[in-house]
Protein backbone atom coordinates (compact mmCIF):
# COMPACT_ATOMS: atom_id res chain seq x y z
CA UNK A 1 0.00 0.00 0.00
CA UNK A 2 1.38 3.43 -1.00
CA UNK A 3 1.54 6.30 1.48
CA UNK A 4 0.17 9.40 -0.31
CA UNK A 5 0.19 12.85 1.25
CA UNK A 6 -2.78 15.21 1.04
CA UNK A 7 -2.84 18.79 -0.26
CA UNK A 8 -6.40 19.42 0.89
CA UNK A 9 -8.69 17.45 3.18
CA UNK A 10 -12.23 17.63 4.54
CA UNK A 11 -12.11 17.48 8.31
CA UNK A 12 -14.32 15.17 10.33
CA UNK A 13 -17.31 16.94 11.86
CA UNK A 14 -17.23 14.44 14.74
CA UNK A 15 -13.61 15.29 15.51
CA UNK A 16 -14.34 19.02 15.37
CA UNK A 17 -17.10 18.57 17.94
CA UNK A 18 -15.06 16.26 20.16
CA UNK A 19 -11.66 17.95 19.97
CA UNK A 20 -12.20 21.62 19.05
CA UNK A 21 -15.49 22.75 20.54
CA UNK A 22 -14.61 21.89 24.19
CA UNK A 23 -12.07 24.74 23.97
CA UNK A 24 -14.98 27.20 23.86
CA UNK A 25 -17.48 28.17 26.53
CA UNK A 26 -20.39 26.92 24.42
CA UNK A 27 -23.37 24.98 25.72
CA UNK A 28 -23.65 21.39 24.58
CA UNK A 29 -23.18 21.10 20.83
CA UNK A 30 -26.18 19.42 19.24
CA UNK A 31 -24.91 19.30 15.68
CA UNK A 32 -21.94 20.20 13.47
CA UNK A 33 -22.56 20.41 9.72
CA UNK A 34 -20.11 20.97 6.87
CA UNK A 35 -21.85 24.05 5.51
CA UNK A 36 -19.80 25.55 2.69
CA UNK A 37 -16.54 25.03 0.83
CA UNK A 38 -14.89 28.15 -0.53
CA UNK A 39 -11.32 29.28 -0.04
CA UNK A 40 -11.93 28.25 3.54
CA UNK A 41 -14.22 25.58 4.98
CA UNK A 42 -17.29 26.67 6.87
CA UNK A 43 -19.07 24.54 9.47
CA UNK A 44 -22.35 25.39 11.13
CA UNK A 45 -22.34 24.64 14.84
CA UNK A 46 -25.70 24.21 16.55
CA UNK A 47 -25.72 24.29 20.33
CA UNK A 48 -28.52 24.13 22.87
CA UNK A 49 -28.64 27.94 23.07
CA UNK A 50 -27.56 29.35 19.71
CA UNK A 51 -25.75 28.80 16.43
CA UNK A 52 -22.14 29.54 15.52
CA UNK A 53 -19.89 29.37 12.48
CA UNK A 54 -16.59 27.52 12.66
CA UNK A 55 -14.23 28.63 9.92
CA UNK A 56 -11.30 26.38 9.09
CA UNK A 57 -8.72 28.14 6.92
CA UNK A 58 -7.04 26.18 4.17
CA UNK A 59 -3.39 25.36 4.69
CA UNK A 60 -1.11 28.28 3.72
CA UNK A 61 -4.05 30.40 2.57
CA UNK A 62 -3.64 32.87 5.42
CA UNK A 63 -0.79 33.16 7.90
CA UNK A 64 -1.55 33.24 11.60
CA UNK A 65 -0.60 36.95 11.64
CA UNK A 66 -2.97 37.70 8.77
CA UNK A 67 -5.80 35.90 10.56
CA UNK A 68 -5.06 37.85 13.73
CA UNK A 69 -5.32 41.10 11.75
CA UNK A 70 -8.76 40.06 10.53
CA UNK A 71 -9.84 39.16 14.07
CA UNK A 72 -8.49 42.47 15.41
CA UNK A 73 -10.60 44.29 12.83
CA UNK A 74 -13.73 42.32 13.67
CA UNK A 75 -13.31 42.90 17.40
CA UNK A 76 -12.71 46.61 16.80
CA UNK A 77 -15.84 46.91 14.66
CA UNK A 78 -17.95 44.83 17.04
CA UNK A 79 -16.85 46.91 20.03
CA UNK A 80 -17.82 50.09 18.14
CA UNK A 81 -21.31 48.81 17.48
CA UNK A 82 -20.93 47.56 13.91
CA UNK A 83 -23.17 44.65 13.01
CA UNK A 84 -20.64 42.00 12.05
CA UNK A 85 -20.03 38.33 12.68
CA UNK A 86 -17.34 38.50 15.36
CA UNK A 87 -14.87 35.94 16.77
CA UNK A 88 -15.61 33.98 19.94
CA UNK A 89 -12.86 33.61 22.52
CA UNK A 90 -11.67 30.22 23.65
CA UNK A 91 -11.63 29.38 27.34
CA UNK A 92 -7.93 30.31 27.48
CA UNK A 93 -8.61 33.79 26.06
CA UNK A 94 -7.21 33.04 22.60
CA UNK A 95 -9.17 33.07 19.35
CA UNK A 96 -7.26 30.76 17.02
CA UNK A 97 -7.09 26.97 17.27
CA UNK A 98 -4.28 25.22 15.36
CA UNK A 99 -5.29 21.90 13.80
CA UNK A 100 -2.96 19.11 12.69
CA UNK A 101 -4.73 18.19 9.43
CA UNK A 102 -3.46 15.53 6.97
CA UNK A 103 -1.96 18.27 4.76
CA UNK A 104 -0.37 20.15 7.65
CA UNK A 105 -1.34 22.94 10.05
CA UNK A 106 -4.69 24.61 9.51
CA UNK A 107 -6.29 27.26 11.69
CA UNK A 108 -9.84 27.37 13.03
CA UNK A 109 -11.83 30.30 14.42
CA UNK A 110 -15.31 30.24 15.95
CA UNK A 111 -17.59 33.11 14.86
CA UNK A 112 -20.96 34.42 15.95
CA UNK A 113 -23.77 33.40 13.64
CA UNK A 114 -25.19 36.03 11.27
CA UNK A 115 -28.94 35.54 11.42
CA UNK A 116 -31.18 36.31 8.48
CA UNK A 117 -31.06 35.80 4.73
CA UNK A 118 -29.09 37.14 1.78
CA UNK A 119 -30.48 40.18 0.00
CA UNK A 120 -32.44 39.64 -3.20
CA UNK A 121 -32.45 43.19 -4.65
CA UNK A 122 -35.95 42.62 -5.96
CA UNK A 123 -36.68 45.86 -4.14
CA UNK A 124 -34.19 48.70 -4.71
CA UNK A 125 -34.39 49.51 -1.01
CA UNK A 126 -32.01 46.58 -0.50
CA UNK A 127 -29.37 48.44 -2.52
CA UNK A 128 -29.90 51.65 -0.53
CA UNK A 129 -29.59 49.75 2.75
CA UNK A 130 -26.48 47.93 1.56
CA UNK A 131 -24.77 51.17 0.50
CA UNK A 132 -25.74 52.86 3.74
CA UNK A 133 -24.35 50.04 5.87
CA UNK A 134 -21.13 49.79 3.84
CA UNK A 135 -20.51 53.49 4.48
CA UNK A 136 -21.31 52.99 8.16
CA UNK A 137 -18.83 50.10 8.27
CA UNK A 138 -16.15 52.38 6.81
CA UNK A 139 -16.99 55.12 9.30
CA UNK A 140 -16.86 52.79 12.30
CA UNK A 141 -13.52 51.33 11.16
CA UNK A 142 -11.79 54.73 11.41
CA UNK A 143 -8.95 54.59 13.91
CA UNK A 144 -8.44 50.85 13.53
CA UNK A 145 -4.89 49.54 13.62
CA UNK A 146 -3.29 46.17 14.27
CA UNK A 147 0.14 44.97 15.31
CA UNK A 148 -0.24 42.01 12.96
CA UNK A 149 0.99 42.09 9.36
CA UNK A 150 -1.56 41.86 6.57
CA UNK A 151 -1.50 42.40 2.82
CA UNK A 152 -2.85 45.71 1.55
CA UNK A 153 -5.45 46.03 -1.18
CA UNK A 154 -2.88 47.67 -3.44
CA UNK A 155 -1.45 47.18 -6.93
CA UNK A 156 0.60 44.17 -5.82
CA UNK A 157 -2.32 42.30 -4.28
CA UNK A 158 -5.02 43.27 -6.76
CA UNK A 159 -3.01 43.27 -10.00
CA UNK A 160 0.58 41.99 -9.94
CA UNK A 161 -0.06 38.72 -8.07
CA UNK A 162 -3.22 37.77 -10.02
CA UNK A 163 -1.53 38.54 -13.34
CA UNK A 164 1.25 36.06 -12.55
CA UNK A 165 -1.30 33.28 -12.16
CA UNK A 166 -3.22 34.38 -15.27
CA UNK A 167 -0.10 34.53 -17.44
CA UNK A 168 0.82 30.95 -16.57
CA UNK A 169 -2.74 29.79 -17.14
CA UNK A 170 -2.83 31.46 -20.60
CA UNK A 171 0.55 30.23 -21.82
CA UNK A 172 -1.14 28.79 -24.90
CA UNK A 173 -3.42 31.80 -25.46
CA UNK A 174 -1.01 34.72 -26.05
CA UNK A 175 -3.63 37.00 -27.63
CA UNK A 176 -5.91 36.71 -24.61
CA UNK A 177 -2.98 37.30 -22.27
CA UNK A 178 -1.88 40.40 -24.18
CA UNK A 179 -5.41 41.81 -24.08
CA UNK A 180 -5.75 41.28 -20.32
CA UNK A 181 -2.28 42.60 -19.54
CA UNK A 182 -2.73 45.70 -21.73
CA UNK A 183 -6.13 46.40 -20.20
CA UNK A 184 -4.65 46.18 -16.70
CA UNK A 185 -1.87 48.60 -17.59
CA UNK A 186 -4.41 51.05 -18.98
CA UNK A 187 -6.63 50.84 -15.89
CA UNK A 188 -3.68 51.21 -13.54
CA UNK A 189 -2.51 54.31 -15.43
CA UNK A 190 -5.98 55.83 -15.07
CA UNK A 191 -6.06 55.06 -11.36
CA UNK A 192 -2.61 56.55 -10.75
CA UNK A 193 -3.63 59.80 -12.46
CA UNK A 194 -6.03 60.55 -9.62
CA UNK A 195 -4.37 62.49 -6.75
CA UNK A 196 -4.19 60.29 -3.68
CA UNK A 197 -5.50 63.07 -1.41
CA UNK A 198 -8.86 63.05 -3.23
CA UNK A 199 -9.46 59.33 -2.66
CA UNK A 200 -10.48 57.90 0.71
CA UNK A 201 -8.09 55.31 2.13
CA UNK A 202 -8.77 53.03 5.07
CA UNK A 203 -9.96 49.64 6.25
CA UNK A 204 -11.99 47.71 3.66
CA UNK A 205 -13.96 44.48 3.84
CA UNK A 206 -12.53 43.64 0.43
CA UNK A 207 -15.43 41.56 -0.89
CA UNK A 208 -18.62 43.60 -0.58
CA UNK A 209 -20.18 42.47 -3.84
CA UNK A 210 -23.75 42.76 -2.61
CA UNK A 211 -23.84 39.66 -0.46
CA UNK A 212 -21.58 38.60 2.45
CA UNK A 213 -24.35 40.09 4.56
CA UNK A 214 -27.62 38.82 5.94
CA UNK A 215 -30.75 40.92 6.30
CA UNK A 216 -32.37 40.43 9.68
CA UNK A 217 -35.09 42.54 11.32
CA UNK A 218 -34.65 45.25 8.71
CA UNK A 219 -30.89 45.59 9.18
CA UNK A 220 -27.71 43.98 7.85
CA UNK A 221 -25.07 41.82 9.50
CA UNK A 222 -21.78 41.56 7.58
CA UNK A 223 -19.59 38.47 7.57
CA UNK A 224 -16.67 36.83 5.69
CA UNK A 225 -13.89 39.40 6.13
CA UNK A 226 -11.32 36.97 4.72
CA UNK A 227 -10.32 39.47 1.98
CA UNK A 228 -10.10 42.52 4.26
CA UNK A 229 -7.21 44.96 4.44
CA UNK A 230 -6.29 48.60 4.08
CA UNK A 231 -6.94 50.11 0.67
CA UNK A 232 -8.80 52.69 -1.36
CA UNK A 233 -12.51 52.84 -0.58
CA UNK A 234 -13.10 53.52 -4.29
CA UNK A 235 -12.18 49.89 -4.93
CA UNK A 236 -14.55 48.69 -2.22
CA UNK A 237 -17.45 50.65 -3.71
CA UNK A 238 -16.62 49.55 -7.27
CA UNK A 239 -16.88 45.89 -6.27
CA UNK A 240 -20.63 46.38 -5.89
CA UNK A 241 -20.94 47.99 -9.32
CA UNK A 242 -18.90 45.14 -10.82
CA UNK A 243 -21.28 42.65 -9.25
CA UNK A 244 -24.33 44.41 -10.65
CA UNK A 245 -22.96 44.05 -14.15
CA UNK A 246 -21.74 40.50 -13.58
CA UNK A 247 -24.96 39.03 -12.24
CA UNK A 248 -27.83 38.82 -14.70
CA UNK A 249 -31.10 40.08 -13.32
CA UNK A 250 -29.32 42.63 -11.12
CA UNK A 251 -27.78 44.67 -13.90
CA UNK A 252 -29.93 47.78 -13.90
CA UNK A 253 -28.76 51.28 -13.18
CA UNK A 254 -31.39 51.88 -10.49
CA UNK A 255 -29.64 49.44 -8.14
CA UNK A 256 -26.31 51.26 -8.49
CA UNK A 257 -27.94 54.67 -8.01
CA UNK A 258 -29.77 53.50 -4.90
CA UNK A 259 -26.54 52.05 -3.52
CA UNK A 260 -24.80 55.40 -4.08
CA UNK A 261 -27.65 57.27 -2.40
CA UNK A 262 -27.38 54.98 0.59
CA UNK A 263 -23.60 55.30 0.79
CA UNK A 264 -23.62 59.08 0.33
CA UNK A 265 -26.18 59.45 3.12
CA UNK A 266 -23.37 58.48 5.52
CA UNK A 267 -20.12 59.29 3.67
CA UNK A 268 -19.69 61.35 0.52
CA UNK A 269 -17.91 59.81 -2.45
CA UNK A 270 -15.85 62.29 -4.44
CA UNK A 271 -16.12 62.73 -8.21
CA UNK A 272 -12.61 61.29 -8.52
CA UNK A 273 -13.66 58.15 -6.65
CA UNK A 274 -16.66 57.67 -8.91
CA UNK A 275 -14.46 58.24 -11.95
CA UNK A 276 -12.30 55.30 -10.84
CA UNK A 277 -15.23 52.89 -10.67
CA UNK A 278 -14.89 51.41 -14.17
CA UNK A 279 -11.13 50.90 -13.84
CA UNK A 280 -11.57 49.24 -10.48
CA UNK A 281 -14.30 47.02 -11.96
CA UNK A 282 -11.68 45.74 -14.40
CA UNK A 283 -9.13 45.31 -11.61
CA UNK A 284 -11.73 43.45 -9.55
CA UNK A 285 -12.42 40.98 -12.34
CA UNK A 286 -8.69 40.43 -12.90
CA UNK A 287 -8.20 39.82 -9.18
CA UNK A 288 -11.08 37.35 -9.14
CA UNK A 289 -9.74 35.56 -12.20
CA UNK A 290 -6.35 35.12 -10.54
CA UNK A 291 -8.06 33.89 -7.38
CA UNK A 292 -10.13 31.33 -9.25
CA UNK A 293 -7.08 30.07 -11.13
CA UNK A 294 -5.22 29.73 -7.85
CA UNK A 295 -8.23 27.87 -6.44
CA UNK A 296 -7.89 25.07 -8.99
CA UNK A 297 -5.41 23.39 -6.64
CA UNK A 298 -8.47 22.14 -4.73
CA UNK A 299 -11.24 22.32 -7.33
CA UNK A 300 -9.22 20.93 -10.27
CA UNK A 301 -7.87 22.72 -13.33
CA UNK A 302 -10.57 21.16 -15.45
CA UNK A 303 -13.14 23.33 -13.65
CA UNK A 304 -11.89 26.30 -15.71
CA UNK A 305 -12.14 25.35 -19.36
CA UNK A 306 -11.90 27.38 -22.57
CA UNK A 307 -15.39 28.70 -21.98
CA UNK A 308 -14.21 30.31 -18.74
CA UNK A 309 -11.56 32.47 -20.39
CA UNK A 310 -14.00 33.38 -23.16
CA UNK A 311 -16.56 34.52 -20.60
CA UNK A 312 -14.01 36.63 -18.77
CA UNK A 313 -12.74 38.30 -21.95
CA UNK A 314 -16.31 39.09 -23.04
CA UNK A 315 -17.11 40.53 -19.63
CA UNK A 316 -14.03 42.78 -19.65
CA UNK A 317 -14.97 43.98 -23.13
CA UNK A 318 -18.45 44.78 -21.82
CA UNK A 319 -16.96 47.04 -19.15
CA UNK A 320 -14.81 48.76 -21.79
CA UNK A 321 -17.79 49.27 -24.08
CA UNK A 322 -20.06 50.71 -21.39
CA UNK A 323 -17.66 52.95 -19.52
CA UNK A 324 -14.69 53.86 -21.69
Amino acid sequence: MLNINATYSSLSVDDLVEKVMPSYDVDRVVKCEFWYRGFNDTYKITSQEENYILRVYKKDWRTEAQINFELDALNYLHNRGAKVSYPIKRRDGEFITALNAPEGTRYAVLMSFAKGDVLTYKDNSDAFLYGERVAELHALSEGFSSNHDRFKLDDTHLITEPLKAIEQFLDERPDDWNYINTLCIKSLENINKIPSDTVDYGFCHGDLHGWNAHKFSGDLIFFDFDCCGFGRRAYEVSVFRWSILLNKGRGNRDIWEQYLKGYNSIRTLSDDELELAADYMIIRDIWRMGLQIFGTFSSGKGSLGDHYIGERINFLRTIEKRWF
Side-chain angles (χ1 to χ4, degrees):
M1 182 179 293
L2 299 177
N3 184 23
I4 304 296
N5 294 324
T7 56
Y8 176 62
S9 64
S10 297
L11 304 184
S12 163
V13 294
D14 292 335
D15 273 9
L16 291 174
V17 171
E18 180 183 343
K19 299 176 181 178
V20 175
M21 291 310 300
S23 299
Y24 298 91
D25 188 16
V26 172
D27 290 326
R28 187 175 68 85
V29 174
V30 176
K31 185 166 50 176
C32 174
E33 300 169 278
F34 190 8
W35 203 249
Y36 181 77
R37 172 172 291 162
F39 276 88
N40 301 300
D41 291 340
T42 300
Y43 296 82
K44 182 180 178 182
I45 304 293
T46 303
S47 76
Q48 284 183 317
E49 297 296 326
E50 55 188 306
N51 297 328
Y52 301 89
I53 288 296
L54 182 69
R55 170 188 281 175
V56 180
Y57 292 82
K58 286 185 179 177
K59 180 181 181 294
D60 297 332
W61 171 240
R62 299 287 185 240
T63 66
E64 190 171 5
Q66 290 171 345
I67 296 171
N68 271 310
F69 176 100
E70 178 188 348
L71 302 184
D72 285 348
L74 289 171
N75 283 322
Y76 183 86
L77 287 166
H78 175 61
N79 291 334
R80 296 201 72 190
K83 291 181 172 58
V84 296
S85 172
Y86 55 89
I88 307 297
K89 277 186 179 180
R90 303 188 330 171
R91 295 180 189 273
D92 61 5
E94 300 296 325
F95 289 100
I96 299 175
T97 301
L99 308 178
N100 184 22
E103 63 270 33
T105 302
R106 296 178 64 178
Y107 298 107
V109 176
L110 189 68
M111 302 278 191
S112 65
F113 188 80
K115 297 180 181 179
D117 300 296
V118 296
L119 291 85
T120 64
Y121 298 95
K122 293 179 180 178
D123 184 332
N124 286 344
S125 63
D126 277 358
F128 183 94
L129 178 63
Y130 198 87
E132 186 179 47
R133 291 297 175 260
V134 170
E136 184 179 78
L137 196 70
H138 289 165
L140 290 173
S141 71
E142 294 299 335
F144 166 68
S145 64
S146 174
N147 294 324
H148 300 287
D149 291 332
R150 176 86 172 187
F151 53 82
K152 292 180 173 59
L153 305 181
D154 57 11
D155 297 349
T156 299
H157 182 73
L158 297 176
I159 305 173
T160 305
E161 292 173 354
L163 281 179
K164 288 180 181 178
I166 295 170
E167 183 177 17
Q168 292 178 358
F169 192 77
L170 297 180
D171 59 350
E172 297 180 358
R173 301 180 63 152
D175 291 343
D176 290 337
W177 161 247
N178 287 333
Y179 169 74
I180 290 172
N181 190 45
T182 301
L183 188 60
C184 266
I185 292 171
K186 177 183 174 182
S187 293
L188 186 57
E189 287 175 349
N190 291 338
I191 290 169
N192 288 334
K193 288 177 184 176
I194 304 297
S196 59
D197 59 354
T198 66
V199 180
D200 189 22
Y201 182 91
F203 176 81
C204 298
H205 176 286
D207 203 22
L208 292 178
H209 42 56
W211 294 287
N212 280 338
H214 281 168
K215 189 175 183 179
F216 181 72
S217 297
D219 211 341
L220 296 187
I221 303 172
F222 289 102
F223 54 85
D224 194 3
F225 283 71
D226 184 48
C227 296
C228 72
F230 285 104
R232 286 181 167 185
R233 290 328 185 350
Y235 169 74
E236 181 100 293
V237 170
S238 300
V239 169
F240 185 83
R241 191 175 189 179
W242 163 85
S243 183
I244 292 171
L245 183 61
L246 179 67
N247 294 284
K248 294 178 180 180
R250 295 182 51 215
N252 69 70
R253 190 171 184 83
D254 290 343
I255 292 176
W256 172 240
E257 290 178 348
Q258 286 300 312
Y259 172 90
L260 287 180
K261 286 180 180 179
Y263 192 96
N264 285 323
S265 70
I266 304 294
R267 295 172 67 87
T268 302
L269 291 163
S270 69
D271 291 339
D272 282 345
E273 288 175 306
L274 292 175
E275 187 177 327
L276 291 176
D279 291 295
Y280 270 129
M281 286 168 68
I282 288 172
I283 298 305
R284 166 66 179 194
D285 207 65
I286 297 299
W287 172 83
R288 179 173 176 261
M289 194 186 308
L291 193 70
Q292 290 177 325
I293 290 170
F294 171 80
T296 58
F297 84 92
S298 60
S299 61
K301 190 172 183 179
S303 62
L304 301 183
D306 288 343
H307 70 283
Y308 170 79
I309 298 301
E311 288 172 355
R312 301 277 39 86
I313 295 293
N314 288 337
F315 182 73
L316 292 170
R317 291 192 188 281
T318 299
I319 298 175
E320 280 194 290
K321 181 179 179 180
R322 289 199 181 187
W323 282 286
F324 288 109

